[in-house]
Amino acid sequence: MKSYNSIRIFKNPILEACTHVHPIIPLLLWMPVAIYWGINGQATYSLSLVEMISWYAIGLLVWTFTEYILHRYMFHFPAKGPLGKRFVFLFHGLHHDDPNDPTRLVMPPVPAIIIMALLYGFFSLFVPGRYLEVFMSSFVIGYLCYDYIHYATHHFKMTGKIGRYLKKFHLQHHFRHEKAKYGVSSPLWDIIFRTMTGPKEEEH
């Protein structure tokens, strides 16, 4: 990866280093987890092909919804106090200030593990136990698709019809209006919640 003059956010060199992630890291971290959950979930409960396909479809759909909700309400939270503003900046504001930094386009491992553990606990309240691992396997695969689609929209030409659409869709979120187009891997929930376009800019 070529050298990039990143915005420095921590004086401590260890903390600063932890904010930079090579894009291959999520794949190395999460793909073995997704494979294990998928295989173990199927083997433990002898799930049928129909059950596997159904719950993988559900997991991917839930991921797109989670992606939308996190992006809209957490990453763009209108914080008022200094701590809240710092939190939003570290999680997402930095990306909007410097959207092409190749080392800050995927989630660092520590917060990713914490968030995924919390989501696992949350989904365990709703997803039947026999399907939980398969569901989470699909959910993680959805997350990986999001990460690499996001990376590609900033760093690859994306010549295919779908790729061009997703690239244009996401870059419009960055450079035309931040209060719209929150989906990255899919525009589905922007269509449903009518956030394909945002409110008009306030006149100055």
Side-chain angles (χ1 to χ4, degrees):
M1 185 179 294
K2 295 181 180 179
S3 177
Y4 185 89
N5 188 23
S6 300
I7 296 174
R8 190 178 183 93
I9 56 177
F10 289 112
K11 292 182 179 179
N12 185 295
I14 297 176
L15 288 177
E16 178 66 18
C18 289
T19 70
H20 298 276
V21 184
H22 192 284
I24 197 65
I25 295 300
L27 187 67
L28 296 178
L29 174 64
W30 292 111
M31 186 51 72
V33 175
I35 292 172
Y36 170 78
W37 274 338
I39 293 175
N40 192 64
Q42 192 284 327
T44 301
Y45 297 101
S46 300
L47 301 181
S48 68
L49 180 60
V50 171
E51 288 176 307
M52 292 290 289
I53 292 173
S54 297
W55 280 95
Y56 265 87
I58 292 169
L60 289 174
L61 181 64
V62 172
W63 163 256
T64 62
F65 180 71
T66 304
E67 168 194 313
Y68 176 89
I69 293 297
L70 289 177
H71 191 183
R72 181 177 180 180
Y73 295 107
M74 180 176 169
F75 295 164
H76 284 274
F77 180 72
K80 303 298 183 183
L83 288 178
K85 289 180 178 179
R86 179 65 170 170
F87 173 82
V88 172
F89 175 77
L90 291 177
F91 254 89
H92 196 63
L94 174 63
H95 173 55
H96 274 267
D97 286 353
D98 190 10
N100 293 321
D101 187 339
T103 67
R104 286 177 171 148
L105 283 174
V106 296
M107 184 74 71
V110 173
I113 291 171
I114 293 172
I115 292 172
M116 197 63 74
L118 292 173
L119 288 173
Y120 187 99
F122 175 75
F123 289 133
S124 70
L125 300 175
F126 306 96
V127 179
R130 65 183 275 106
Y131 300 123
L132 182 60
E133 286 188 311
V134 171
F135 169 85
M136 287 303 301
S137 173
S138 176
F139 187 84
V140 167
I141 290 172
Y143 162 69
L144 288 174
C145 289
Y146 152 81
D147 249 356
Y148 291 111
I149 289 172
H150 186 214
Y151 187 88
T153 60
H154 287 283
H155 286 281
F156 295 123
K157 193 172 182 179
M158 300 181 77
T159 57
K161 186 176 180 180
I162 295 175
R164 288 199 308 270
Y165 176 83
L166 291 176
K167 183 180 180 74
K168 181 180 179 181
F169 188 83
H170 184 60
L171 293 184
Q172 284 178 341
H173 167 74
H174 272 280
F175 300 113
R176 179 171 295 179
H177 207 302
E178 294 182 6
K179 295 181 180 179
K181 295 179 169 65
Y182 296 103
V184 175
S185 61
S186 168
L188 173 63
W189 300 103
D190 285 290
I191 295 170
I192 292 173
F193 292 118
R194 300 181 179 180
T195 52
M196 292 292 285
T197 58
K200 292 182 179 180
E201 294 270 8
E202 293 183 4
E203 294 183 3
H204 297 285

